[in-house]
Amino acid sequence: MENSQKDVVILAIESSCDETAAAVVRNGREVLSNVISSQIALHTLYGGVVPEIASRKHIEKINQVIEEALTQAHMDLTEMDAIAVTYGPGLVGALLVGVAEAKAIAYAAGKPLIGVHHIEGHISANYIENRELEPPFLCLVVSGGHTHLVVVEDYGSYKIVGRTRDDAAGEAFDKVARAIGLGYPGGPKIEKISKEGNPEAIAFPRAKIEDHPYDFSFSGVKSAVLNYINGCQMKQIPIVQADVAASFQKAVTDVLIEHAMMAVEEFHMDKFAIAGGVASNSTLRNGMRDACEKKGVKFYYPSPILCTDNAAMIGTAAYYEYLAGRHDGWDLNAVPNLKLGER
Ligand code: KG4
Ligand code: ZN
């Protein structure tokens, strides 16, 4: 009993986009359950996430997913120390389902409520399988909605040193996949078909932003792919999907690696981590691993299932909020454009 009193067990809920997820996390880094109900198959019919459908599905699934998370952890609500939930950024209707559910559970069970920033969750996914990882480190967050280079100064303390000026990296994968007829979700489909393609086949641009070496721009490479396809169609040249995908993937990952390694040097970091859905891409992971090895920098990355949206990462981030004594009131609301480091 002594031990269990010292443990901090958190039930975490995530519903910011198209995954309904719940997890039970002990002491921040021990995942007792991590249940994810994906809506991908449903949204595939429409070629992308339809916000109203996402909210409706979250409502249908959320109780079931939470119950399953508690069952798999062999625990009940009374044993939780806090209820954590993603409250932004994300789709407002989708976020609201999780926030309302977390508030109801926390209120009914008399537990503290902790609102978590979704990107802070993605970054924190790195703590789960890397018990020795502690701030400070540099993290590249590459998801469907965000591309950020972040100095993680401490738990809960972030300095954004680079960001995308237009499309997020994952968004570019999704748009290009749609353009070359691969459909949704773009990232995994581009990664798969790229294995059969030549990454040097087409020279797509690698954008640089003057005076802001750590910022990104992916709308140019996306337009270049669209122009290339139009050009082929006009000249009646067949489009080799695998070559287009592999060349595009290489262009995006080259830029991500180059900017990240420049920032590692500039900010004197000896640890570097990647996070977010695109971080599950093996070309990016392998490229970053090699680049870090050359620089003598320790490289961290979550398992693919912890890169894409999940609630375990939210439970991990919430643990450090809990230790810092940060709780939220019953007025916690969904904030679709919440900035990292804001409360
Ligand atoms: O982090 P995430 O699950 O959700 C957001 O917070 O956005 O990221 C989803 C994004 C999508 O754009 C998806 O296409 C991309 O991550 N993604 C990938 C891969 N798996 C997911 N992009 C490239 N390669 C992958 N294997
Ligand atoms: Zn995400």
Side-chain angles (χ1 to χ4, degrees):
M1 285 321 276
E2 264 297 296
N3 258 343
S4 68
Q5 274 175 5
K6 285 188 213 134
D7 284 341
V8 175
V9 185
I10 294 179
L11 169 68
I13 298 167
E14 155 65 44
S15 70
S16 66
C17 191
D18 58 348
E19 327 279 354
T20 318
V24 177
V25 179
R26 181 156 58 202
N27 300 329
R29 301 197 184 210
E30 197 186 337
V31 178
L32 304 183
S33 63
N34 188 23
V35 179
I36 304 167
S37 168
S38 175
Q39 305 177 0
I40 283 179
L42 191 63
H43 296 290
T44 299
L45 299 171
Y46 305 95
V49 179
V50 183
E52 287 78 7
I53 294 178
S55 313
R56 194 177 286 245
K57 264 288 161 215
H58 285 311
I59 293 172
E60 272 175 41
K61 291 282 176 187
I62 199 153
N63 282 321
Q64 206 179 316
V65 165
I66 291 169
E67 270 171 33
E68 184 61 25
L70 288 167
T71 304
Q72 285 185 18
H74 305 291
M75 295 184 99
D76 61 41
L77 270 180
T78 62
E79 294 170 278
M80 299 298 118
D81 292 285
I83 311 299
V85 65
T86 305
Y87 74 110
L91 302 170
V92 68
L95 287 164
L96 274 170
V97 177
V99 169
E101 179 82 11
K103 284 204 272 193
I105 293 177
Y107 185 74
K111 305 288 178 184
L113 173 72
I114 303 176
V116 173
H117 192 291
H118 183 73
I119 299 302
E120 187 167 4
H122 274 303
I123 295 170
S124 303
N126 278 287
Y127 297 133
I128 296 170
E129 294 156 314
N130 301 298
R131 301 282 167 109
E132 79 284 8
L133 177 62
E134 304 263 2
F137 60 92
L138 184 77
C139 187
L140 172 72
V141 186
V142 266
S143 71
H146 298 84
T147 305
H148 282 353
L149 259 175
V150 183
V151 175
V152 182
E153 297 171 319
D154 201 347
Y155 295 108
S157 173
Y158 306 94
K159 188 166 126 199
I160 299 173
V161 296
R163 66 179 83 227
T164 181
R165 295 298 184 92
D166 38 58
D167 292 348
E171 192 179 352
F173 270 88
D174 293 335
K175 287 178 177 170
V176 165
R178 200 174 306 145
I180 60 175
L182 292 175
Y184 175 84
K189 293 201 166 160
I190 287 194
E191 172 168 10
K192 186 158 179 251
I193 199 168
S194 290
K195 294 193 195 324
E196 296 149 27
N198 173 8
E200 312 296 338
I202 309 149
F204 290 130
R206 275 86 168 142
K208 283 199 166 58
I209 295 170
E210 220 169 303
D211 300 330
H212 294 276
Y214 312 119
D215 279 0
F216 304 95
S217 167
F218 296 111
S219 67
V221 62
K222 176 197 69 190
S223 302
V225 173
L226 298 179
N227 290 340
Y228 174 81
I229 293 168
N230 285 339
C232 287
Q233 281 166 346
M234 280 168 69
K235 290 181 222 152
Q236 296 187 323
I237 301 170
I239 297 159
V240 183
Q241 268 184 332
D243 283 352
V244 178
S247 301
F248 161 78
Q249 178 175 266
K250 182 77 173 27
V252 172
T253 51
D254 277 357
V255 169
L256 292 172
I257 294 166
E258 190 191 328
H259 291 200
M261 290 305 109
M262 279 191 322
V264 158
E265 211 157 282
E266 165 81 19
F267 297 98
H268 309 291
M269 293 286 151
D270 58 0
K271 289 172 271 179
F272 172 70
I274 52 172
V278 185
S280 63
N281 182 282
S282 57
T283 300
L284 181 65
R285 291 157 89 90
N286 295 338
M288 287 292 191
R289 182 181 301 117
D290 292 349
C292 284
E293 225 170 79
K294 274 193 203 130
K295 282 205 177 303
V297 168
K298 185 104 176 63
F299 177 48
Y300 295 92
Y301 49 92
S303 292
I305 192 70
L306 293 171
C307 285
T308 45
D309 289 348
N310 66 87
M313 67 185 196
I314 303 303
T316 301
Y319 172 71
Y320 293 101
E321 300 280 326
Y322 181 94
L323 292 188
R326 284 196 286 267
H327 300 168
D328 287 282
W330 304 123
D331 58 348
L332 180 72
N333 205 352
V335 185
N337 57 356
L338 186 66
K339 303 279 175 294
L340 188 62
E342 254 179 24
R343 280 235 129 229

